[in-house]
Amino acid sequence: MSSALSDGIRVEVRSDYRSDRSEPRQRRWLFTYTVTIRNEGTRPARLVSRRWLITDGSGRREKVEGDGVVGRQPRLDPGQSFEYTSFCVLPSSHGSMRGTYQMVRDDGTEFDAEIAPFSLVVPGTLN
């Protein structure tokens, strides 16, 4: 699990390998990741967009950017949290992800909430 705190917004991520949705013979490994975004600060903030950097086991990197998460732009009051699950398909049995969520306060102030690096690993493949 990874965890980062940025300007009162905590982002925690845990990942899982999905053998039932993977096809290793076709070099296709599917991982799910569950993100919890929690406002531990004193001011509301809205998640408006995301930036991911995905690195596979060969060191190849892919950048993914877009509006919101899972079709939403959640607004978090102090003490509120938002959780979602998504997935990533890699051409290798291991890799990693990291990134940022672009947040905006009610007064228009913008900041990035860090998504700390987390591993995508088929159990038992790395020692």
Side-chain angles (χ1 to χ4, degrees):
M1 180 154 96
S2 73
S3 181
L5 181 64
S6 308
D7 202 7
I9 302 297
R10 181 170 304 279
V11 179
E12 295 179 334
V13 185
R14 58 184 192 279
S15 63
D16 290 299
Y17 170 60
R18 294 290 306 269
S19 62
D20 61 319
R21 309 248 339 252
S22 297
E23 299 173 341
R25 290 184 180 152
Q26 281 76 41
R27 300 192 49 75
R28 179 181 159 86
W29 288 267
L30 189 138
F31 300 87
T32 58
Y33 56 93
T34 300
V35 180
T36 303
I37 306 160
R38 185 177 307 109
N39 187 343
E40 297 181 358
T42 59
R43 297 182 295 155
R46 179 179 306 281
L47 188 159
V48 294
S49 62
R50 69 192 183 285
R51 290 188 195 110
W52 287 105
L53 179 61
I54 304 166
T55 306
D56 70 21
S58 301
R60 286 187 296 255
R61 293 180 175 193
E62 177 185 2
K63 292 182 181 180
V64 177
E65 298 183 9
D67 293 335
V69 290
V70 293
R72 300 192 49 198
Q73 292 183 324
R75 181 181 184 277
L76 301 174
D77 287 322
Q80 287 186 320
S81 63
F82 179 80
E83 183 174 281
Y84 73 95
T85 299
S86 191
F87 69 95
C88 175
V89 178
L90 292 180
S92 59
S93 62
H94 64 281
S96 64
M97 291 178 67
R98 63 181 169 96
T100 55
Y101 292 126
Q102 292 67 57
M103 310 292 293
V104 63
R105 301 274 184 205
D106 289 349
D107 66 2
T109 304
E110 299 177 1
F111 66 98
D112 286 344
E114 179 187 0
I115 307 164
F118 59 95
S119 297
L120 305 169
V121 179
V122 175
T125 59
L126 296 178
N127 294 329

